[in-house]
Amino acid sequence: MTQQITRAPAALARIRDLVQPALVAAVDRLDDPQMRLIARYQLGWCDVDGAPTGGTGGKAIRPALAVLSAEAVRGGSAAGVPAAVAVELVHNFSLLHDDVMDRDLERRHRPTGWVAFGEGQAILAGSALLTQAVQVLMEDSPDSRRCLPLLLATVQQLISGQSRDLLLEGRDDATLAEVLTMEAGKTAALLSCSAAIGALAAGAPVPVLTGLTDFGYELGVAFQLVDDVLGVVGDPAVTGKSSSSDVRAGKRSAPVVAALAGDSAASAELARMLAAGPPGTESDVERATGLVIDAGGLEWTVRAADDHLAAALRHLEALPLARPAADELAAVARYIVGRDR
Amino acid sequence: MTQQITRAPAALARIRDLVQPALVAAVDRLDDPQMRLIARYQLGWCDVDGAPTGGTGGKAIRPALAVLSAEAVRGGSAAGVPAAVAVELVHNFSLLHDDVMDRDLERRHRPTGWVAFGEGQAILAGSALLTQAVQVLMEDSPDSRRCLPLLLATVQQLISGQSRDLLLEGRDDATLAEVLTMEAGKTAALLSCSAAIGALAAGAPVPVLTGLTDFGYELGVAFQLVDDVLGVVGDPAVTGKSSSSDVRAGKRSAPVVAALAGDSAASAELARMLAAGPPGTESDVERATGLVIDAGGLEWTVRAADDHLAAALRHLEALPLARPAADELAAVARYIVGRDR
């Protein structure tokens, strides 16, 4: 996989514009000025002092999936908007909290929330966004309220995935199966929820909801595996993180664990190296990165990501969905896995 | 105010026994074993390794208020149980998170959650309990679901109160009004919610709900002020914290700020002392504690707590409530403010 800066599907911008007013309204409903400020900063709308950045934050992939899933079942875009707001708020809840736990210093080329506002305030703002996500669905229509059990179960899966991630960090003997289960919770759960929640709000029948859930789940696994690849060979200018960030942190991500699972000389040397803790110097980081590649860890992960993307697209094609939404779902899927050309 | 170990009203034990099975069921519904373990530890049911302690945790004041409020409007105890579980879960969410932020090491004579399980796991478990609280109300009856907006708004107030508390910590010039507003969010909001939520589930009319809300709010302010008094002169054997814990931490609690607001020599000396940061030695802690007392800070706080308790009881007496629940609400109120004899 080579890293590509590709043109985003038009659906992403269209839906971000559609969802943005409702997202702004949800954040503005936070009574506490400090929580509102941190939420706006986290979403990329303002700097630390509250001055507008003119930006609308990230790519808003999860809101796009939510609205497209409503459109794909002929429910209309509007039916998916509250759900889109809720999943984006939950996503930012998890980013704020995970950055505290992972001691990540930068996100999207800016200081993370806890670096900018302090750890306590970042934890509080995360909880405020989680609570607001529930409030958005609760205070909307019965159609939106129907989505609450799915959203809440998804939040529990996110929490469980992050907990497993932290527990794996201290272990040398993590298996690929454990890493993939953990990543399913951390990333696939919310993408799966996003891909079905708009259709659920629109009243789609169970088989369609199941198919969309499976699509989102496979897509989420593929997306996380690509993220893991970027954690080994990503360009800081694109990822907003330092190069080889996962290798540097000694993180047992999929490429690393896949590399360790091999029986090559590179595999054995990598194991010896990492047993001593995270690489200490820049040349150690470079050496470890090379060993992950030589031991086939990167290749395995890229192939696994491709397989999961293909599975996702098969689930999608099997469903009786409306165009152009179905095509846009596929385009978004290919785009976020970096396989759109 | 002298510290007293008094006999708890019988209603507390009765309702704890009534609510405990539903609370256990809610915690057991957490899929993740690590989250379940931390939740059980936090609630006082097991030790760090999961071995049962035989205990049922704290006094369960909030569940008692919730169930009594259902009984007081003739709704029956059972109507208040899901709400009681929800407020207890929210309370423990805030304890887990606040202990991380405040770097508190002990709670109820045991290591706090983050000390026992690590900061990340404690943050995650707090979020899991918050989410489970919403799930409990969501998955119960329409009567319970009606309580969700109140619970969610209360969570936002808790978050806001803790945020203000952290922001005040860094400031020398906190006013009594600011401290009281902060404490209202931190403590009174959830007691107020607890005192009304059972009645709300039971379908009580708005004027009764308003009266119970006011009762719980005044009670919550009184309760927090007593907690502040114990933070200055509390006996570690009773509070489970070190003696003069708030003074030691340089915390601007109500007695300290009230002491600083005076114009006595003690007031001025206390201001000079605290301007240099938290007291450095044990004799400094003792000296500062003495100055808070000499400057009238403790006396002011005790009187304010009494005034708020009296206001709470007046709200209660004005309502057309069923006995014995109304009397039990008053008994619980007097008990938790340490004024039951």
Side-chain angles (χ1 to χ4, degrees), chain A residues 319-341:
Chain A
L319 293 170
L321 301 177
R323 296 179 183 276
D327 296 333
E328 289 176 321
L329 279 171
V332 169
R334 285 198 188 89
Y335 169 71
I336 66 175
V337 183
R339 278 291 187 252
D340 56 345
R341 61 175 184 189

mmCIF file of all heavy atoms in Angstrom, chain A residues 319-341:
data_model
loop_
_atom_site.group_PDB
_atom_site.id
_atom_site.type_symbol
_atom_site.label_atom_id
_atom_site.label_comp_id
_atom_site.label_asym_id
_atom_site.label_seq_id
_atom_site.Cartn_x
_atom_site.Cartn_y
_atom_site.Cartn_z
ATOM 1 N N LEU A 319 -27.394 -5.968 -0.658
ATOM 2 C CA LEU A 319 -28.571 -5.309 -0.085
ATOM 3 C C LEU A 319 -29.362 -4.547 -1.154
ATOM 4 O O LEU A 319 -28.774 -4.001 -2.094
ATOM 5 C CB LEU A 319 -28.144 -4.326 1.017
ATOM 6 C CG LEU A 319 -27.539 -4.963 2.270
ATOM 7 C CD1 LEU A 319 -26.939 -3.897 3.176
ATOM 8 C CD2 LEU A 319 -28.616 -5.755 3.024
ATOM 9 N N PRO A 320 -30.691 -4.503 -1.010
ATOM 10 C CA PRO A 320 -31.539 -3.780 -1.967
ATOM 11 C C PRO A 320 -31.569 -2.284 -1.652
ATOM 12 O O PRO A 320 -32.578 -1.765 -1.179
ATOM 13 C CB PRO A 320 -32.915 -4.416 -1.743
ATOM 14 C CG PRO A 320 -32.924 -4.784 -0.280
ATOM 15 C CD PRO A 320 -31.496 -5.124 0.075
ATOM 16 N N LEU A 321 -30.461 -1.596 -1.915
ATOM 17 C CA LEU A 321 -30.353 -0.190 -1.504
ATOM 18 C C LEU A 321 -30.611 0.770 -2.660
ATOM 19 O O LEU A 321 -30.452 0.420 -3.832
ATOM 20 C CB LEU A 321 -28.962 0.077 -0.924
ATOM 21 C CG LEU A 321 -28.571 -0.774 0.282
ATOM 22 C CD1 LEU A 321 -27.146 -0.454 0.714
ATOM 23 C CD2 LEU A 321 -29.540 -0.567 1.453
ATOM 24 N N ALA A 322 -31.000 1.993 -2.297
ATOM 25 C CA ALA A 322 -31.277 3.028 -3.295
ATOM 26 C C ALA A 322 -29.973 3.628 -3.806
ATOM 27 O O ALA A 322 -28.994 3.743 -3.077
ATOM 28 C CB ALA A 322 -32.149 4.123 -2.670
ATOM 29 N N ARG A 323 -29.964 4.000 -5.069
ATOM 30 C CA ARG A 323 -28.878 4.782 -5.636
ATOM 31 C C ARG A 323 -29.295 6.248 -5.598
ATOM 32 O O ARG A 323 -30.487 6.521 -5.644
ATOM 33 C CB ARG A 323 -28.612 4.362 -7.085
ATOM 34 C CG ARG A 323 -28.148 2.954 -7.166
ATOM 35 C CD ARG A 323 -27.886 2.481 -8.570
ATOM 36 N NE ARG A 323 -27.511 1.088 -8.526
ATOM 37 C CZ ARG A 323 -26.264 0.638 -8.288
ATOM 38 N NH1 ARG A 323 -25.276 1.472 -8.123
ATOM 39 N NH2 ARG A 323 -26.021 -0.638 -8.219
ATOM 40 N N PRO A 324 -28.332 7.180 -5.514
ATOM 41 C CA PRO A 324 -26.895 6.965 -5.565
ATOM 42 C C PRO A 324 -26.278 6.647 -4.193
ATOM 43 O O PRO A 324 -25.069 6.469 -4.115
ATOM 44 C CB PRO A 324 -26.369 8.313 -6.066
ATOM 45 C CG PRO A 324 -27.330 9.306 -5.506
ATOM 46 C CD PRO A 324 -28.676 8.621 -5.500
ATOM 47 N N ALA A 325 -27.118 6.575 -3.143
ATOM 48 C CA ALA A 325 -26.546 6.418 -1.793
ATOM 49 C C ALA A 325 -25.681 5.161 -1.676
ATOM 50 O O ALA A 325 -24.607 5.197 -1.056
ATOM 51 C CB ALA A 325 -27.667 6.405 -0.750
ATOM 52 N N ALA A 326 -26.146 4.042 -2.281
ATOM 53 C CA ALA A 326 -25.381 2.803 -2.176
ATOM 54 C C ALA A 326 -23.996 2.968 -2.794
ATOM 55 O O ALA A 326 -22.986 2.521 -2.238
ATOM 56 C CB ALA A 326 -26.136 1.663 -2.852
ATOM 57 N N ASP A 327 -23.939 3.634 -3.956
ATOM 58 C CA ASP A 327 -22.645 3.865 -4.611
ATOM 59 C C ASP A 327 -21.772 4.788 -3.762
ATOM 60 O O ASP A 327 -20.549 4.635 -3.698
ATOM 61 C CB ASP A 327 -22.857 4.497 -5.988
ATOM 62 C CG ASP A 327 -23.616 3.555 -6.920
ATOM 63 O OD1 ASP A 327 -23.522 2.328 -6.729
ATOM 64 O OD2 ASP A 327 -24.316 4.063 -7.821
ATOM 65 N N GLU A 328 -22.420 5.757 -3.132
ATOM 66 C CA GLU A 328 -21.658 6.696 -2.294
ATOM 67 C C GLU A 328 -21.100 5.988 -1.057
ATOM 68 O O GLU A 328 -19.982 6.281 -0.620
ATOM 69 C CB GLU A 328 -22.535 7.890 -1.910
ATOM 70 C CG GLU A 328 -22.798 8.791 -3.123
ATOM 71 C CD GLU A 328 -23.748 9.949 -2.825
ATOM 72 O OE1 GLU A 328 -24.739 9.760 -2.078
ATOM 73 O OE2 GLU A 328 -23.502 11.052 -3.340
ATOM 74 N N LEU A 329 -21.879 5.061 -0.495
ATOM 75 C CA LEU A 329 -21.362 4.266 0.629
ATOM 76 C C LEU A 329 -20.110 3.497 0.196
ATOM 77 O O LEU A 329 -19.110 3.467 0.919
ATOM 78 C CB LEU A 329 -22.425 3.272 1.132
ATOM 79 C CG LEU A 329 -23.490 3.825 2.077
ATOM 80 C CD1 LEU A 329 -24.593 2.790 2.305
ATOM 81 C CD2 LEU A 329 -22.887 4.246 3.427
ATOM 82 N N ALA A 330 -20.172 2.894 -0.987
ATOM 83 C CA ALA A 330 -19.009 2.138 -1.486
ATOM 84 C C ALA A 330 -17.829 3.077 -1.731
ATOM 85 O O ALA A 330 -16.675 2.739 -1.425
ATOM 86 C CB ALA A 330 -19.388 1.393 -2.765
ATOM 87 N N ALA A 331 -18.117 4.255 -2.267
ATOM 88 C CA ALA A 331 -17.037 5.211 -2.548
ATOM 89 C C ALA A 331 -16.376 5.683 -1.249
ATOM 90 O O ALA A 331 -15.144 5.788 -1.165
ATOM 91 C CB ALA A 331 -17.593 6.406 -3.331
ATOM 92 N N VAL A 332 -17.203 5.962 -0.239
ATOM 93 C CA VAL A 332 -16.650 6.378 1.053
ATOM 94 C C VAL A 332 -15.808 5.242 1.639
ATOM 95 O O VAL A 332 -14.704 5.468 2.155
ATOM 96 C CB VAL A 332 -17.773 6.800 2.032
ATOM 97 C CG1 VAL A 332 -17.224 6.977 3.450
ATOM 98 C CG2 VAL A 332 -18.433 8.094 1.556
ATOM 99 N N ALA A 333 -16.307 4.024 1.527
ATOM 100 C CA ALA A 333 -15.574 2.870 2.053
ATOM 101 C C ALA A 333 -14.213 2.755 1.383
ATOM 102 O O ALA A 333 -13.181 2.630 2.057
ATOM 103 C CB ALA A 333 -16.389 1.592 1.854
ATOM 104 N N ARG A 334 -14.199 2.795 0.045
ATOM 105 C CA ARG A 334 -12.928 2.671 -0.678
ATOM 106 C C ARG A 334 -11.989 3.825 -0.314
ATOM 107 O O ARG A 334 -10.792 3.636 -0.138
ATOM 108 C CB ARG A 334 -13.171 2.677 -2.187
ATOM 109 C CG ARG A 334 -13.742 1.384 -2.704
ATOM 110 C CD ARG A 334 -13.565 1.259 -4.215
ATOM 111 N NE ARG A 334 -14.294 0.100 -4.700
ATOM 112 C CZ ARG A 334 -15.564 0.123 -5.082
ATOM 113 N NH1 ARG A 334 -16.237 1.263 -5.089
ATOM 114 N NH2 ARG A 334 -16.160 -0.986 -5.469
ATOM 115 N N TYR A 335 -12.560 4.991 -0.185
ATOM 116 C CA TYR A 335 -11.748 6.177 0.114
ATOM 117 C C TYR A 335 -11.056 6.072 1.467
ATOM 118 O O TYR A 335 -9.845 6.310 1.578
ATOM 119 C CB TYR A 335 -12.632 7.425 0.069
ATOM 120 C CG TYR A 335 -11.963 8.663 0.602
ATOM 121 C CD1 TYR A 335 -10.927 9.282 -0.102
ATOM 122 C CD2 TYR A 335 -12.360 9.221 1.814
ATOM 123 C CE1 TYR A 335 -10.307 10.421 0.385
ATOM 124 C CE2 TYR A 335 -11.739 10.358 2.311
ATOM 125 C CZ TYR A 335 -10.718 10.950 1.602
ATOM 126 O OH TYR A 335 -10.105 12.063 2.079
ATOM 127 N N ILE A 336 -11.819 5.693 2.491
ATOM 128 C CA ILE A 336 -11.208 5.728 3.827
ATOM 129 C C ILE A 336 -10.229 4.573 4.029
ATOM 130 O O ILE A 336 -9.392 4.620 4.919
ATOM 131 C CB ILE A 336 -12.251 5.756 4.975
ATOM 132 C CG1 ILE A 336 -13.055 4.463 5.043
ATOM 133 C CG2 ILE A 336 -13.163 6.958 4.835
ATOM 134 C CD1 ILE A 336 -14.001 4.424 6.227
ATOM 135 N N VAL A 337 -10.306 3.556 3.179
ATOM 136 C CA VAL A 337 -9.315 2.488 3.271
ATOM 137 C C VAL A 337 -8.174 2.753 2.277
ATOM 138 O O VAL A 337 -7.234 1.978 2.154
ATOM 139 C CB VAL A 337 -9.994 1.107 3.061
ATOM 140 C CG1 VAL A 337 -9.024 -0.044 3.218
ATOM 141 C CG2 VAL A 337 -11.131 0.916 4.065
ATOM 142 N N GLY A 338 -8.242 3.903 1.591
ATOM 143 C CA GLY A 338 -7.148 4.279 0.691
ATOM 144 C C GLY A 338 -7.093 3.424 -0.553
ATOM 145 O O GLY A 338 -6.024 3.184 -1.114
ATOM 146 N N ARG A 339 -8.263 2.949 -0.988
ATOM 147 C CA ARG A 339 -8.310 2.035 -2.120
ATOM 148 C C ARG A 339 -9.310 2.534 -3.169
ATOM 149 O O ARG A 339 -10.055 1.761 -3.749
ATOM 150 C CB ARG A 339 -8.781 0.646 -1.638
ATOM 151 C CG ARG A 339 -7.681 -0.169 -1.032
ATOM 152 C CD ARG A 339 -6.685 -0.587 -2.121
ATOM 153 N NE ARG A 339 -5.679 -1.507 -1.618
ATOM 154 C CZ ARG A 339 -4.415 -1.151 -1.421
ATOM 155 N NH1 ARG A 339 -4.022 0.096 -1.616
ATOM 156 N NH2 ARG A 339 -3.546 -2.055 -1.019
ATOM 157 N N ASP A 340 -9.275 3.869 -3.361
ATOM 158 C CA ASP A 340 -10.282 4.394 -4.269
ATOM 159 C C ASP A 340 -9.732 4.676 -5.657
ATOM 160 O O ASP A 340 -10.328 5.411 -6.425
ATOM 161 C CB ASP A 340 -10.935 5.638 -3.664
ATOM 162 C CG ASP A 340 -9.927 6.686 -3.324
ATOM 163 O OD1 ASP A 340 -8.721 6.350 -3.289
ATOM 164 O OD2 ASP A 340 -10.321 7.828 -3.069
ATOM 165 N N ARG A 341 -8.601 4.121 -5.981
ATOM 166 C CA ARG A 341 -8.169 4.200 -7.371
ATOM 167 C C ARG A 341 -7.192 3.086 -7.664
ATOM 168 O O ARG A 341 -6.750 2.408 -6.737
ATOM 169 C CB ARG A 341 -7.531 5.557 -7.674
ATOM 170 C CG ARG A 341 -6.297 5.839 -6.838
ATOM 171 C CD ARG A 341 -5.675 7.138 -7.294
ATOM 172 N NE ARG A 341 -4.441 7.351 -6.548
ATOM 173 C CZ ARG A 341 -3.747 8.472 -6.584
ATOM 174 N NH1 ARG A 341 -4.183 9.496 -7.293
ATOM 175 N NH2 ARG A 341 -2.620 8.604 -5.923
#
